Amino acid sequence: MAVLCSSSTVILPTSSVKSSGCERKSPFLGFSLTAISKPSVRVGIYANSKRGLQVKCEAEQTTTTSLVPANQRWMFDEEEANGPDIWNTTWYPKASDHVNTDKPWFVVDATDKILGRLASTIANHIRGKNLASYTPSVDMGAFVIVVNAEKVAVSGKKRNQKLYRRHSGRPGGMTVETFDQLQQRIPERIVEHAVRGMLPKGRLGRALFNHLKVYKGPDHPHEAQKPLDLPIRDKRIQLQK
């Protein structure tokens, strides 16, 4: 015999419950069948000849959508005020939000610009920190082209005191050279070394480093990308002579 009260289903043997109504107390539950008030819970008693009676509860999962609070609807448009609350959801960039072919290109002339200040500006644009959609774990930045790398400047006595070290991997294979010596030999490496140190260390940093293009001289092979001038807000980036 099956008795249905509100949305709760109770299955009992015929001998346990009579057909007098739902107000009769069940000897197995100990309360009235009409006392089950939660419509989202189903209680079932199944008769099994081998194992006796079994009580099972099933909770119905209901999906609820967060709506815009009434005191915040003035900030939304008319078609969005009665919809879901999109401002309280976490946004994460999709793959279509950071396609390399859609990213902007910038070019900067390194003539008489302070090395550290120039490198920090380049690193911010490569990482995308100047964007409202900046995400630390995603490549959201742009490509940056540096020309006239041999004319980059440093302040103070760094031209003779700043050292660059590299090791061949063999015992005694340490090579040390000054800023002036490296600028005469491979000037592109100075800018690359400064920018690399300001990028994340790991797989993301290695991918971001490929967005930096450094060249000796005023020419570069990226005219097809139509690069724009790199916006520089630091007024102290230019060397004062």
Side-chain angles (χ1 to χ4, degrees):
M1 175 181 178
V3 182
L4 179 61
C5 297
S6 67
S7 62
S8 301
T9 304
V10 179
I11 303 177
L12 298 174
T14 308
S15 59
S16 61
V17 176
K18 297 181 181 180
S19 60
S20 58
C22 293
E23 295 297 333
R24 184 178 180 85
K25 290 186 177 181
S26 171
F28 302 100
L29 299 179
F31 53 86
S32 176
L33 297 179
T34 59
I36 303 176
S37 59
K38 292 185 178 181
S40 62
V41 178
R42 291 184 178 180
V43 181
I45 300 179
Y46 302 92
N48 193 341
S49 58
K50 296 182 179 180
R51 300 181 180 179
L53 296 178
Q54 297 180 356
V55 180
K56 295 183 178 181
C57 299
E58 298 179 358
E60 297 179 355
Q61 297 180 354
T62 58
T63 59
T64 58
T65 304
S66 177
L67 300 179
V68 179
N71 58 347
Q72 298 179 5
R73 294 183 181 180
W74 62 272
M75 297 182 290
F76 293 83
D77 297 335
E78 294 181 358
E79 60 273 8
E80 297 178 353
N82 297 326
D85 191 1
I86 59 176
W87 284 11
N88 290 331
T89 57
T90 302
W91 180 84
Y92 194 82
K94 307 295 188 299
S96 59
D97 297 329
H98 52 92
V99 182
N100 283 339
T101 55
D102 298 336
K103 294 180 179 179
W105 285 67
F106 296 101
V107 60
V108 58
D109 189 357
T111 303
D112 293 334
K113 287 185 171 58
I114 302 298
L115 175 62
R117 298 184 183 277
L118 176 64
S120 62
T121 304
I122 294 174
N124 286 338
H125 283 79
I126 290 179
R127 291 212 65 190
K129 285 189 174 183
N130 59 314
L131 304 175
S133 59
Y134 166 70
T135 305
S137 59
V138 180
D139 177 10
M140 301 292 293
F143 290 82
V144 179
I145 306 168
V146 182
V147 295
N148 292 323
E150 74 280 1
K151 298 180 181 180
V152 69
V154 289
S155 61
K157 300 179 180 179
K158 297 185 182 68
R159 186 170 294 275
N160 297 322
Q161 293 181 354
K162 185 175 177 61
L163 302 178
Y164 291 89
R165 297 178 175 87
R166 69 181 188 276
H167 203 286
S168 64
R170 296 177 176 272
M174 175 73 74
T175 302
V176 182
E177 55 187 343
T178 62
F179 176 90
D180 193 21
Q181 295 173 349
L182 183 60
Q183 192 176 35
Q184 296 177 4
R185 191 170 64 90
I186 310 176
E188 298 91 341
R189 185 171 297 178
I190 293 177
V191 180
E192 292 176 352
H193 182 273
V195 176
R196 186 194 293 269
M198 300 180 183
L199 294 177
K201 310 304 184 290
R203 180 171 55 183
L204 178 61
R206 291 190 294 269
L208 291 173
F209 183 72
N210 294 328
H211 293 188
L212 176 65
K213 314 294 180 181
V214 186
Y215 299 99
K216 178 181 179 181
D219 300 328
H220 62 85
H222 303 287
E223 294 294 342
Q225 280 69 31
K226 299 179 180 179
L228 304 175
D229 292 337
L230 183 69
I232 299 176
R233 302 177 59 182
D234 191 355
K235 298 180 179 179
R236 297 174 295 176
I237 194 173
Q238 197 72 25
L239 181 65
Q240 302 296 331
K241 294 183 179 180

